[in-house]
Amino acid sequence: MGLTVNVLDDLGAHNLQAAAQAALQETNAIALIELLEMLWSCDVEGANAVIDAVLLRLQQLRALR
């Protein structure tokens, strides 16, 4: 839940770069999936940039398995 709160705070402050960077640094795939689900279902300004970062990070984590 910490990741989601941090990303929402960054989005609320219109800091898309920080929000995307938080997703790109996350190592917990479950936290990323929860964030993706929340961003996908809500109409949050700037969410698309973070969704792209989450999907990229999930691909990276999958490649490491």
Side-chain angles (χ1 to χ4, degrees):
M1 188 56 91
L3 174 65
T4 300
V5 170
N6 291 342
V7 167
L8 288 176
D9 286 345
D10 289 336
L11 287 174
H14 302 287
N15 192 345
L16 298 179
Q17 185 176 6
Q21 191 62 34
L24 290 172
Q25 293 176 346
E26 181 60 50
T27 59
N28 184 336
I30 293 171
L32 288 165
I33 291 168
E34 288 174 350
L35 176 62
L36 179 64
E37 182 179 31
M38 191 277 307
L39 291 173
W40 196 278
S41 63
C42 297
D43 186 23
V44 178
E45 185 177 336
N48 286 340
V50 181
I51 289 172
D52 291 343
V54 169
L55 292 173
L56 175 61
R57 186 59 180 152
L58 286 170
Q59 286 178 323
Q60 291 170 345
L61 292 174
R62 182 173 182 233
L64 294 174
R65 293 186 85 201

